[in-house]
Amino acid sequence: METNYDETEFVAYALGQMDLKILERKGNVFELENGFTLEVERKDLYKLSSEGWVISPFDDIGHLIDFVKKNTKSTYEG
């Protein structure tokens, strides 16, 4: 049985579950807050950039989300 797994849909779901706001989505590219851009290159390979500069490739969406959250100013901080 063949399944049609879509990595970009998984990433969109993961970002939403982790409360990261997607400003814009163009195919496999997600524009996030604070100048971050996430590109899904293939299953388990993601390119993160900030304001046009590539930060790093990630092979784990959880680690990528943690990195973005740690490097994003929280609106909840006093």
Side-chain angles (χ1 to χ4, degrees):
M1 184 171 128
E2 185 177 320
T3 60
N4 291 333
Y5 177 77
D6 186 342
E7 187 73 11
T8 56
E9 290 302 320
F10 168 73
V11 169
Y13 174 79
L15 293 171
Q17 290 298 302
M18 298 303 291
D19 296 322
L20 284 180
K21 185 176 180 183
I22 300 169
L23 300 178
E24 186 175 0
R25 177 179 172 186
K26 295 179 184 174
N28 65 330
V29 178
F30 298 85
E31 299 292 332
L32 308 175
E33 292 180 301
N34 291 343
F36 285 107
T37 302
L38 185 165
E39 181 178 352
V40 178
E41 296 195 342
R42 61 177 167 78
K43 186 175 186 323
D44 296 329
L45 183 60
Y46 318 99
K47 180 170 67 176
L48 183 66
S49 56
S50 179
E51 311 209 1
W53 294 92
V54 175
I55 295 170
S56 177
F58 285 82
D59 61 4
D60 183 298
I61 192 64
H63 290 142
L64 184 148
I65 289 171
D66 285 343
F67 180 89
V68 170
K69 289 184 98 167
K70 288 177 183 173
N71 290 284
T72 300
K73 293 180 184 174
S74 175
T75 55
Y76 302 107
E77 294 177 1

